[in-house]
């Protein structure tokens, strides 16, 4: 009896010692599972550079926190030899982050779990008030209702807005396509709405394209890229973002990569910034509809209208084909300039830009190669974004980051 009790105590002490040694690995381990880079305990052990026992203790702690689950009896892959390693998966009913997105044609809320999985979304609202507090209050309440319906624990909230967000104050400096005042303190307003809704955890806000790039880098077309450039046009305007070594490059105060104001057509359309022929007004959905000789309808957003027109009428309709070629040439000119300056190892395109890429990839690749300094010898892969609601997923990444940094502290 005594011997057995002593052995049990020794085993418990050994397990605690392994966990104590591995506590610093909890965050890195969770991030590996979160981004899909550690699908099994064997891979986790190798990636962390720890012993199998320590990796097992770390995984067990993440299970105890309700973040992951371990399948200790996975089926062997066809042709595989030996015992298959324990599979690591996201906990099915684990915590979620509240994600919110506001754009020129509406807003939406969602609950997003680890792994970038969207658990639930609200229907998109198409009315944007000129008072940011009213809009943010509505989108947060919609998200709070999702939390009540699902009963999930919330780790925090993130907001994506179509504006540069200045740090450290969290001010929306140029919400050009919203009727909001320049410099609106969106992060502070959002945080107040989150608290008023009874939601615990920190609240964050950032530019929507920055967040789309972050989400794509972790869960989509940007996985594995070291220097990832994202350029996208959503409902109006054009944004850009750069992810370096897994982190967003935001500049000294959060205002980096305002690529929409690169000049790509000196005699082109007037831009909201006071210039002319900027990427922002030469390659967005409204520019495409104008080039194709179509009016912007009121029942469908310009983005959906432009996407549908390309998918249904290109290349058969000459006006649509010409508009596609025109916007590709201007987009390619802008991308070539960015390649010369930033030297990314991958470019991903979102919104209408991904539709243009699908319509005529060879033309876009050729324009970028012809206009860039290194030509075809240094050609950069250009891919379409792959995530649905990538800005929402990116907004959730903001809220998940403290948990990825220190799961024990964040979930205490």
């Amino acid at each position: 009896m005594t011997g057995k009790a002593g052995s049990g105590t020794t085993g418990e002490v050994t397990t605690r010692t392994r966990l104590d040694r591995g506590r610093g690995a909890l965050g890195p381990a969770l991030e590996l599972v979160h981004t899909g880079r550690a699908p099994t305990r064997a891979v986790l052990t190798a990636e962390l550079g720890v012993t199998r026992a320590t990796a097992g203790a770390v995984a067990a702690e993440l299970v105890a926190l309700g973040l992951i689950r371990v399948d200790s009896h996975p089926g062997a892959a066809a042709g595989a030899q030996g015992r298959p390693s324990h599979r690591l998966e996201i906990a099915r009913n684990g915590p979620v982050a509240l994600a919110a997105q506001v754009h020129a044609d509406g807003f939406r809320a969602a609950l997003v779990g680890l792994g970038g999985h969207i658990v639930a979304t609200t229907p998109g609202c198409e009315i944007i008030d000129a008072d940011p507090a009213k809009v943010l209050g509505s989108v947060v309440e919609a998200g709070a209702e999702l939390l009540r319906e699902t009963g999930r624990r919330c780790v925090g909230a993130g907001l994506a807005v179509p504006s540069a967000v200045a740090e450290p104050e969290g001010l929306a400096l140029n919400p050009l396509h919203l009727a909001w005042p320049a410099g609106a303190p969106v992060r502070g307003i959002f945080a107040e709405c989150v608290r008023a809704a009874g939601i615990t955890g920190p609240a964050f806000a950032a530019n929507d394209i920055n967040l789309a790039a972050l989400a794509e880098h972790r869960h989509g077309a940007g996985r594995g890229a070291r220097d990832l450039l994202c350029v996208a046009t959503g409902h109006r305007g054009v944004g850009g973002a750069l992810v370096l070594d897994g982190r967003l490059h935001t500049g000294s105060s959060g205002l980096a990569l305002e690529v929409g104001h690169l000049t790509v057509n000196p005699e082109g359309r007037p831009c909201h910034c006071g210039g002319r022929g900027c990427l922002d007004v030469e390659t967005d959905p409204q520019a495409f509809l104008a080039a194709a000789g179509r009016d912007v309808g009121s029942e469908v957003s310009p983005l959906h209208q432009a996407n549908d027109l390309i998918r249904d009428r290109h290349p058969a309709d000459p006006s649509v084909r010409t508009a596609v070629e025109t916007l590709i040439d201007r987009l390619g000119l802008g991308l070539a300039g960015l390649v010369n300056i930033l030297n990314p190892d991958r470019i991903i395109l979102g919104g209408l830009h991904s539709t243009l890429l699908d319509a005529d990839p060879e033309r876009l690749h050729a324009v970028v190669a012809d206009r860039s300094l290194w030509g075809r010898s240094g050609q950069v892969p250009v891919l379409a974004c792959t995530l649905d609601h990538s800005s929402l997923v990116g907004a959730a990444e903001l809220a998940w980051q403290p948990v990825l940094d220190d799961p024990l502290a964040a979930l205490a």
Side-chain angles (χ1 to χ4, degrees):
M1 294 286 290
T2 304
K4 289 183 180 179
S7 297
T9 302
T10 301
E12 291 171 6
V13 171
T14 301
T15 299
R16 285 198 301 270
T17 301
R18 287 169 180 160
L19 182 55
D20 288 341
R21 289 174 179 170
R23 284 192 190 280
L26 283 177
L30 183 60
E31 184 164 343
L32 287 167
V33 179
H34 173 61
T35 56
R37 289 178 289 155
T40 68
R41 202 168 69 181
V43 175
L44 182 68
T45 301
E47 289 288 334
L48 293 178
V50 298
T51 65
R52 290 176 58 189
T54 297
V58 168
E61 181 71 3
L62 293 176
V63 170
L65 290 170
L67 296 170
I68 71 169
R69 61 184 295 270
V70 178
D71 183 358
S72 58
H73 301 287
Q81 296 181 353
R83 186 174 65 182
S85 178
H86 294 186
R87 291 201 63 80
L88 306 179
E89 301 170 351
I90 303 300
R92 293 192 178 98
N93 295 307
V96 294
L98 169 60
Q101 181 180 13
V102 177
H103 53 73
D105 296 308
F107 64 78
R108 183 185 295 269
L111 304 182
V112 184
L114 280 168
H117 301 303
I118 295 179
V119 173
T121 61
T122 61
C125 176
E126 298 180 355
I127 300 175
I128 293 295
D129 195 275
D131 182 356
K134 290 183 179 180
V135 178
L136 298 182
S138 296
V139 72
V140 169
E141 181 51 41
E145 180 60 28
L146 289 180
L147 287 169
R148 289 190 287 269
E149 291 173 357
T150 61
R152 303 288 276 268
R153 178 179 181 178
C154 185
V155 300
L159 169 68
V161 291
S163 167
V165 177
E167 297 296 344
E169 299 89 353
L171 309 179
L173 289 188
N174 59 339
L176 298 175
H177 306 295
L178 303 175
W180 293 0
V186 291
R187 189 171 62 219
I189 296 171
F190 183 62
E192 290 177 7
C193 293
V194 168
R195 286 193 295 270
I199 300 170
T200 58
F204 305 89
N207 171 262
D208 53 1
I209 304 302
N210 274 0
L211 296 180
L214 182 62
E216 290 285 344
H217 185 269
R218 291 183 174 179
H219 308 294
R223 272 183 175 175
R226 183 175 174 225
D227 299 332
L228 176 69
L229 172 65
C230 175
V231 177
T233 175
H235 295 264
R236 296 179 201 171
V238 175
L242 186 66
V243 180
L244 301 176
D245 291 326
R247 299 287 178 180
L248 276 171
H249 173 69
T250 56
S252 61
S253 57
L255 308 181
L257 271 292
E258 280 292 318
V259 304
H261 301 290
L262 288 173
T263 300
V264 294
N265 182 18
E267 306 302 321
R269 297 153 61 95
C271 183
H272 323 278
C273 70
R276 181 176 289 275
C278 295
L279 202 63
D280 203 64
V281 292
E282 294 290 336
T283 66
D284 78 342
Q286 291 187 335
F288 175 80
L289 294 172
R294 264 62 168 190
D295 294 328
V296 178
S298 58
E299 296 182 359
V300 180
S301 75
L303 175 62
H304 292 147
Q305 191 177 345
N307 281 337
D308 289 344
L309 192 59
I310 295 172
R311 288 164 182 157
D312 295 342
R313 306 297 295 272
H314 182 271
D317 187 318
S319 63
V320 173
R321 185 173 65 249
T322 299
V324 166
E325 292 172 352
T326 299
L327 262 73
I328 282 178
D329 289 349
R330 290 172 184 167
L331 174 61
L333 181 61
L335 292 179
L338 292 169
V339 167
N340 288 340
I341 297 169
L342 301 173
N343 187 31
D345 60 357
R346 193 180 309 173
I347 299 171
I348 56 173
L349 303 179
L352 178 64
H353 292 168
S354 65
T355 307
L356 293 169
L357 173 65
D358 290 341
D360 196 345
E362 292 184 2
R363 186 181 188 95
L364 182 58
H365 290 141
V367 173
V368 174
D370 291 345
R371 292 282 189 163
S372 61
L373 185 62
W374 307 114
R376 295 188 184 277
S377 63
Q379 190 159 348
V380 182
V382 182
L383 306 174
C385 292
T386 58
L387 297 179
D388 293 330
H389 306 302
S390 57
S391 291
L392 274 173
V393 175
E397 291 295 318
L398 294 179
W400 274 114
Q401 192 59 53
V403 182
L404 298 175
D405 291 338
D406 191 342
L408 283 173
L411 299 178

